[in-house]
Amino acid sequence: MSESRNAILGKLRAGRDAHPLTPPESDFAVLRNKRWDGAERMERIKRMMEAVHTEFLETTEAGWPADVQAFLKAQGTRNLLFGPATEAGARLSAEWTEGGPDLIPYADRVETFKERLFDGIDAGITTTLGAITDTGSLIVWPTPEEPRLMSLVPHMHLALLRADALYDTFWQAMTENRWADGMPTNALLISGPSKTADIEQTLAYGVHGPKRLVVVVIR
Amino acid sequence: MGETSINFAKASSAALQDQQLRGNFRRAMDGLMSKRAVQFADTAEWNGVRTLGASVRLRALSKLPELLEKLEANCTRNGIQVHWASTTDEANAIVLSIMQRVNAKLVVKGKSMVSEEMHLNAFLEKHGIESLESDLGEYIVQLDEAMPSHIIMPAIHMNTKQIAHLFKQKIKEAEYTEDVAQLTDLARRVLRKKFATADVGISGVNMAVAETGTLCLVENEGNGRMSTTVPPVHIAVMGLEKVVEKLEDVPPVISLLTRSATAQPITTYVNMISSPRKEGEKDGPNEIHLVILDNGRSGIYADEELRNTLRCIRCGACMNHCPVYTKVGGHAYQAPYPGPIGSILMPQVEGLEKRGELPHACTMCNACVEICPVKIPIVEIMGRLRSEAVHPGDAVKGAGSHASKAEAMVWKGWSMTYASPLAYQFATALLAKLGNAAPASLPLLKEWTNVRSKPRFANRTLHALAREKGIPDV
Ligand code: SF4
């Protein structure tokens, strides 16, 4: 194995050293200059995400748990997967009232939870690190408290988005927050519900992941 | 695929007879071309991001060996196990040994062109491992026991009716329907069970970041996320050119890739994986393996001009805009990578003996070069490969294998005629007098006159006409 490694690297080095390549400078101005103002950002994010079937639920810092519960109840959702150890999770369980969908904590390792996760969960709720104006994308970094599959396996994904956490571009979000200093296990951009156009270019939603993505905008 | 040489001419002429196939491609490609044009309507932005994207790829190539070492070091630090394979056989063996160690019986695969290059499914099946494609297009092609015909839209050659029949025939619980939402839902039900029970997930890599040891994957369906998150082991396979230097190089490349490929500002999911499951995390694979494949790429890299092939970000735009590809479809190329990029990549990877015909599957119209988001001089490389195919001893594997005595003689005669004014005058005078008498059924001429009218020679040469106007021969 390391024989191949050394052979490959040796060949590459010899090839490059015989014919060095001087690349042109990378000018990021085209990304640096992409800017939107205050309200324009949210409008654009909404427009872009709605164009790919994302739904939006407007709410407030004080009222979001109740609004989420009322929304899910109206949809006939049976249960909601959440991360009990997050701040948002603590709010949800504290403010969840009787008679709504069941709150189900993602508290165990997936090995003991897989069957239930794939077969019995209607919706999952996660936080986000913000959203990207340029492309209409949510930034989601799963954590031990909010595991990766919460935003993937349930049929509906609800994502909490604070209206003041908006970035112009993907590049801006990663450079401003110095992502390169420490990437998480899995960082994600999510820009809509799962979709495909593999059958004769016809768009169909929910092919593998969530069929619905609901962005809960907290102002 | 067999080891015999590939007959593009025969396969494309069969494809041209298939009206259904031509219609399926024409519709799809027309739609993609116009949607892509909308995405890059702002020419200043297109020029800016394209120049940036090309510089990112060139910078990565200029430091390729160092970046691969850095990628390896950072992946290893993050807990990702890195393997190197010189050949596809070696890559297959590495994948198999990981599977055998964990006693894997079922593998779910996200879309990966390198695994097509490795013919990994067939290899694993030979070893008793079920390998299931989970990208819907790839799943359809796999059910059909066929090959993908496009690198982004593998099942583009089929229409809904054909897929409906295929599902009915191959999936036990399928009812016949031409409703795309219902067909998709059926695939969802079948594949979800597989994601939940698979032992290993395999994926490709759109870009690997040396700076952070991160594997980036873009996709719309979520099958890539499923394959890289649910099974306990994830194996990623990538060609060695897929590395970029810094994390900040990722956004421009993704922007070019998604807009060029499917005219989306971004895909539904951009998945950046930097480590296996950490202490305390509740899901994600416990092991991640990265297999870095050479398969001829280091040879391509050694040549200054051909090296540009390795800039490719696999967006497929060159095929969507290629007048040849859009007429004959992907299968005529009989290669994992069809279209313009396939026509330059395959001969370099597999040798000109086997693939030397592909650089001729091109009208040199330059449409691919104009559209390529990282400015690969595809047509120049195409010309270079045509010449390599007949000149022994040069850079590409199998150079000289298409040399023919008759062709060499024709060119020799041609150059002698053009080198001598007397011979030139004699030849043009002869063609002016007798050229039109040549029957359309002559070999070579026949190929042309089959679908076009025969060229007519003027009965006076240009030199004669010029002389009449008082312009002397130099
Ligand atoms: S050669 Fe250019 S246009 Fe073709 S797939 Fe590669 S990057 Fe895209």
Side-chain angles (χ1 to χ4, degrees), chain B residues 431 435-437 453-459:
Chain B
L431 283 172
N436 291 330
S453 45
K454 204 180 104 187
R456 276 199 64 77
F457 292 95
N459 50 20

Side-chain angles (χ1 to χ4, degrees), chain B residues 151 312-319 341 368 371-374 376 378:
Chain B
I151 63 171
C312 177
I313 58 171
R314 307 281 188 264
C315 71
C318 54
M319 349 189 142
I341 181 61
C368 53
I371 223 68
C372 175
V374 287
I376 300 176
I378 303 171

Side-chain angles (χ1 to χ4, degrees), chain B residues 372-390:
Chain B
C372 175
V374 287
K375 304 191 196 178
I376 300 176
I378 303 171
V379 170
E380 264 170 48
I381 297 176
M382 205 83 82
R384 166 78 187 277
L385 291 171
R386 287 183 184 184
S387 135
E388 292 282 330
V390 293

Side-chain angles (χ1 to χ4, degrees), chain A residues 15 25 34-35 38 77 115 141 146 149 159 168:
Chain A
E25 280 291 302
K34 270 195 183 178
R35 295 278 172 203
T77 311
E115 218 167 292
W141 283 27
E146 252 178 22
L149 293 173
D168 291 313

Side-chain angles (χ1 to χ4, degrees), chain A residues 4-5 13 16 19 26 110-111 144 151 153 155 171 185-187 191 194 196 198 200 206 208-209, chain B residues 55 59 66 69 72 90 134 137 160 185 188 192 221 225 248 268 270-272 274 277 281-283 307:
Chain A
S4 293
R5 174 191 188 274
R13 205 161 259 129
R16 196 267 323 276
H19 302 285
S26 292
V110 68
E111 285 73 14
S151 60
V153 180
H155 301 294
W171 180 81
T185 304
N186 184 212
S191 308
S194 149
T196 183
D198 272 341
E200 215 180 319
H208 300 298
Chain B
S55 79
R59 176 158 40 84
E66 293 77 21
E69 281 171 324
E72 180 187 42
E90 202 181 334
S134 63
T160 310
D185 211 51
R188 176 184 174 97
R192 278 211 152 206
E221 296 188 358
R225 285 189 65 198
E248 72 165 343
T268 301
V270 174
N271 190 3
M272 289 163 275
S274 300
R277 188 190 305 195
E281 289 177 338
K282 297 185 186 71
D283 57 23
R307 179 188 284 170

Side-chain angles (χ1 to χ4, degrees), chain B residues 39-224:
Chain B
Q39 281 297 329
F40 292 113
D42 179 344
T43 4
E45 198 268 352
W46 156 244
N47 285 330
V49 74
R50 189 185 193 210
T51 306
L52 173 57
S55 79
V56 163
R57 294 299 302 134
L58 282 168
R59 176 158 40 84
L61 291 180
S62 75
K63 306 176 180 175
L64 189 56
E66 293 77 21
L67 292 187
L68 285 168
E69 281 171 324
K70 192 164 182 189
L71 175 72
E72 180 187 42
N74 283 329
C75 282
T76 310
R77 185 203 62 201
N78 295 348
I80 296 174
Q81 300 173 52
V82 179
H83 312 259
W84 302 75
S86 292
T87 61
T88 53
D89 284 349
E90 202 181 334
N92 281 331
I94 292 168
V95 172
L96 181 65
S97 74
I98 299 167
M99 306 244 179
Q100 286 175 335
R101 184 174 47 75
V102 297
N103 203 11
K105 291 279 167 283
L106 171 65
V107 173
V108 279
K109 276 188 65 216
K111 202 167 152 356
S112 149
M113 290 311 301
V114 166
S115 71
E116 299 283 348
E117 201 177 316
M118 292 158 60
H119 306 295
L120 180 61
N121 289 348
F123 172 82
L124 290 178
E125 253 145 59
K126 257 201 294 190
H127 289 87
I129 297 170
E130 183 189 353
S131 176
L132 189 80
E133 295 289 347
S134 63
D135 168 271
L136 183 60
E138 292 277 354
Y139 175 64
I140 291 167
V141 169
Q142 191 181 33
L143 279 183
D144 199 27
E145 293 165 41
M147 270 178 77
S149 59
H150 190 286
I151 63 171
I152 304 289
M153 293 150 297
I156 196 77
H157 55 285
M158 296 176 84
N159 62 19
T160 310
K161 216 184 191 116
Q162 292 167 316
I163 295 167
H165 280 295
L166 178 70
F167 275 23
K168 176 78 192 81
Q169 193 194 337
K170 296 283 173 78
I171 302 175
K172 239 194 308 159
E173 62 260 49
E175 300 275 336
Y176 183 85
T177 172
E178 288 175 23
D179 183 304
V180 172
Q182 281 183 41
L183 289 168
T184 307
D185 211 51
L186 175 63
R188 176 184 174 97
R189 272 182 278 134
V190 174
L191 288 168
R192 278 211 152 206
K193 285 195 198 108
K194 301 288 187 177
F195 289 128
T197 51
D199 308 297
V200 171
I202 292 183
S203 76
V205 177
N206 292 100
M207 236 177 301
V209 185
E211 180 182 29
T212 54
T214 299
L215 311 178
C216 301
L217 274 114
V218 296
E219 53 138 356
N220 284 310
E221 296 188 358
N223 68 307

